[in-house]
Amino acid sequence: MHRRTLLSAVSLGTVGLAGCLGGDSGGGFDDSSETEDEGTSSNNDPYPDLSETQRSFVRRLDRDIEVVAATAGADELTVTVQTTGTASEDLRRVAEVYLNFAAALDVDLRARVEDRGLSQSMFVIRRKWATQLNDGEIDSDEYLTRIVDTRAATS
């Protein structure tokens, strides 16, 4: 009797495990977004007017906070992002990613924060500030304070 119960349990476990490890023949979630190209071809590129460095920045930023739009000007890159729900977190995430790209971008950054399409705030990050932080001339608190001082509500 115990032998039959044990065999049944092992059989069910094996079938369950095989179902989890086996290939998907169409009955599961569509994971095609994980295998899609990140917009390097001109047909799929959501930002054809951006330089390659600017597109790299936008793709990297999009990992931390959803980027809704991006446009390049002569001396400024403007990104529109979807809020995380906290204004200070939105600012911190954008400032952190920009810090790593400031030298390569060679332009200031203007960030607009939206909540489901409704504009919430806007802030500016000067390339000079990121350079000063990277060179040790200012600390991270000063860097963030300067950015916060540019913040304006746009609702």
Side-chain angles (χ1 to χ4, degrees), residues 8 11 15 25 33 38-39 41 50-51 58 65 67 73 82 91 98 108 110-112 131 138 148 154:
S8 295
S11 296
V15 169
S25 60
S33 62
E38 287 192 20
S41 75
L50 300 184
S51 71
V58 170
I65 187 168
V67 176
Q82 174 66 31
L91 187 142
Y98 178 74
D108 293 341
R110 179 175 303 273
R112 292 190 176 118
T131 302
I138 63 173
V148 167
T154 58

Side-chain angles (χ1 to χ4, degrees), residues 6 8 12 23 27 43 53-54 63 70 113 126 135-136 143 145 148 153:
L6 178 63
S8 295
L12 285 174
N43 293 337
T53 302
Q54 292 167 337
R63 289 188 220 159
V113 180
R126 302 278 178 230
D135 292 345
Y143 175 65
T145 298
V148 167

Side-chain angles (χ1 to χ4, degrees), residues 68 80-84 90 112-121:
V68 179
T80 303
V81 296
Q82 174 66 31
T83 185
T84 61
D90 299 337
R112 292 190 176 118
V113 180
E114 292 184 347
D115 184 7
R116 294 166 282 179
L118 300 174
S119 186
Q120 290 225 311
S121 66

